[in-house]
Amino acid sequence: MFLREQKHLAQVPDAQVVHTPAVRSVLRTVAHAAAVGAVVCLYGDAGQGKTVALQYALSHLPHPARVRRVHVGVHPTVPELRRVLGDALELGRHLPRGAGEGDLMLVNALRQPRVLVLDGAQRLPGPACGLRGCV
């Protein structure tokens, strides 16, 4: 089951997101990316509301949006990144330990429509992410 991740917005009773130009931009961008299978990179200084805007945008995707969050530690290794991606994509024990076969399985799983959220991509080492330049 894929869950809509709205629980972060529910931490403050009666809190509402203000529709600033930045929030509206995130809403449009995330909706478009989810519809066409694109990649989005939100970046900015800490405390600027990126995560709240993203959570809000995810909560407004058409149902049923397939959303998975990837949790990475500080400076993860490539094998650690494979493992957390495998967990997020529910590959679990099916993911081979070998890089070639495991990477192929991850690539095939990523072809399925879904929204994959990797918060804190700036912590990824260069070889772990071809998108490093966008963060």
Side-chain angles (χ1 to χ4, degrees):
M1 171 184 284
F2 291 87
L3 304 174
R4 297 171 76 77
E5 297 186 2
Q6 297 178 9
K7 51 190 158 201
H8 295 291
L9 293 176
Q11 292 177 351
V12 179
D14 300 321
Q16 294 184 5
V17 173
V18 177
H19 282 239
T20 64
V23 169
R24 287 191 300 272
S25 176
V26 171
L27 278 167
R28 284 190 310 273
T29 303
V30 168
H32 176 74
V36 300
V39 174
V40 173
C41 181
L42 301 177
Y43 61 93
D45 293 333
Q48 297 298 309
K50 298 177 301 295
T51 301
V52 169
L54 176 63
Q55 292 300 126
Y56 186 69
L58 292 174
S59 73
H60 283 79
L61 289 176
H63 210 51
R66 299 177 74 186
V67 177
R68 279 293 184 235
R69 183 170 294 278
V70 178
H71 299 281
V72 294
V74 177
H75 302 294
T77 63
V78 173
E80 288 174 281
L81 187 57
R82 275 189 198 102
R83 183 189 54 77
V84 296
L85 281 171
D87 289 348
L89 297 170
E90 298 179 332
L91 299 176
R93 295 183 212 148
H94 302 292
L95 188 64
R97 288 185 184 255
E101 197 174 332
D103 288 349
L104 183 60
M105 190 174 220
L106 285 171
V107 167
N108 287 332
L110 287 168
R111 286 188 176 127
Q112 301 302 311
R114 73 182 81 243
V115 175
L116 193 63
V117 176
L118 195 150
D119 197 2
Q122 73 278 5
R123 295 187 296 230
L124 294 176
C129 181
L131 300 174
R132 179 134 172 99
C134 75
V135 293

